Amino acid sequence: MPASSLEIDHVTKHYGDVVALQDMTFEVCAGELFGFVGSNGAGKTTTMRIALGVLAADSGEVRWNGEPITFATRTRIGYMPEERGLYPKMKVLDQLVYLAELHGIGTNEAHRNAENWIGRLGLRDRRLDEVQKLSLGNQQRVQLCAALVHEPEVLVLDEPFSGLDPVAVDVMSKVLRDEANAGVPVIFSSHQLDLVQRLCDRVGIVRNGQMVACGTVDELRASGDVQLVVDAPDASPEWPAELPGVTVVATNGTRRTLLLDAGVDDQTVLKAALATGEVTEFSRHKPSLAELFRNVVSEGNAV
């Protein structure tokens, strides 16, 4: 499969006076798992629908391999909507074969592909069941099969892990990583930030229709405010209050997490801690993706 990339270039979308997207810009490259996160209504689904041609942008462009998206290229995208788009009374195997054929795949190949994905996603025993008779988690697995059955060149998945138990999450995670390793650009939205942090190569955080942070998890975690974890067992509880530009944000026994203002030297903090006696811990705290997300979205900061 040739190297490929999906580019969202300064896409803007309004609904009357409501700004759904404002200059949304990012790229998902070949072999990359890109996590797209934000609060409800932030613009994630709108971005995905514009990429698929379901919605039209007011301005900006979506490109595939450097060229504007066309109907022909959209047929090579695997899309998994947040709302299930399956036929409830149709059997799993028949449905997947039918969907593959809609993408122009011959019947024999469609059957092979359907059986392959049914097996990989642990649905072999349910292949002849009607979708409506499956659990919500298994319906979610079928929905992913439907996005993959025509062997797409890019995957766009809206909340693919919703409603899955831990075993199913592991199965789906492996499938997405395998697809990325095969050179497929994969973008998915999720509110499960611990999963995004563990799985994704890069993450984009969107707020009010704008991309406010984008990079690898390590880059994003390193870009936040400087915090130190200090354990000085012999110090008085008030010892950090004497340091200018230092705020205590968490206390656990004698262990304190300190927020440093810009320009404050962490060695000054260490010197002050050592002056109180033994220091058993002195380390820089990197916020989790969830902590960073809360900071960026709740406080309106950008990183």
Side-chain angles (χ1 to χ4, degrees), residues 124-141:
R124 199 172 301 281
D125 293 339
R126 313 306 301 269
R127 57 196 285 279
L128 299 181
D129 289 351
E130 293 179 358
V131 169
Q132 64 183 356
K133 295 181 179 179
L134 303 181
S135 67
L136 293 179
N138 279 337
Q139 288 183 30
Q140 193 78 336
R141 296 190 195 208

Side-chain angles (χ1 to χ4, degrees), residues 189-209:
S189 66
S190 179
H191 291 297
Q192 296 169 257
L193 298 181
D194 55 338
L195 177 63
V196 173
Q197 178 172 326
R198 173 168 56 87
L199 190 59
C200 290
D201 301 301
R202 286 194 305 132
V203 177
I205 301 177
V206 58
R207 183 188 69 234
N208 297 331

